[in-house]
Amino acid sequence: MITLHRHKDDQQAAKIEEKLQDLVLAYQVEEIEGEISDLFIEDGGEKIQGKEEIETWFRKLEGELKWQRSISGDGCYINPETGNVC
């Protein structure tokens, strides 16, 4: 499970949460106290922290999702000549 540990009024965290929503993923949000730089993502016990590390994690995640979704898509089609559906 992906968990975003964020401050309530952190704009960077709001952007990260928006990206997670755009990817149509299940995730949790936990509000934290302290410095805004304490923002991090927890994914399967791994802590992802820092702007560059989070961006790298998103690129990898987007690639994995694209691959998974490409092989799990509906393979049915309409034959243009006969109109039959597979």
Side-chain angles (χ1 to χ4, degrees):
M1 172 59 88
I2 297 170
T3 305
L4 172 60
H5 298 265
R6 64 166 290 178
H7 294 276
K8 184 177 181 177
D9 298 323
D10 183 356
Q11 294 303 313
Q12 179 185 2
K15 290 178 184 178
I16 290 171
E17 190 168 352
E18 189 175 308
K19 282 184 179 182
L20 291 169
Q21 290 172 359
D22 289 347
L23 291 173
V24 192
L25 291 173
Y27 67 95
Q28 303 180 126
V29 175
E30 290 190 17
E31 289 189 16
I32 56 176
E33 301 288 329
E35 298 293 321
I36 289 180
S37 62
D38 292 341
L39 160 79
F40 68 96
I41 296 172
E42 187 177 355
D43 182 12
E46 181 183 352
K47 185 175 182 178
I48 300 97
Q49 191 170 17
K51 186 176 181 176
E52 287 184 31
E53 190 175 342
I54 289 173
E55 287 176 6
T56 299
W57 177 81
F58 263 114
R59 281 192 299 274
K60 181 180 174 188
L61 178 64
E62 288 169 341
E64 289 173 359
L65 287 172
K66 185 176 181 179
W67 179 78
Q68 287 176 353
R69 291 172 180 169
S70 73
I71 62 172
S72 66
D74 188 358
C76 193
Y77 64 93
I78 299 173
N79 184 322
E81 293 178 17
T82 64
N84 292 334
V85 178
C86 66

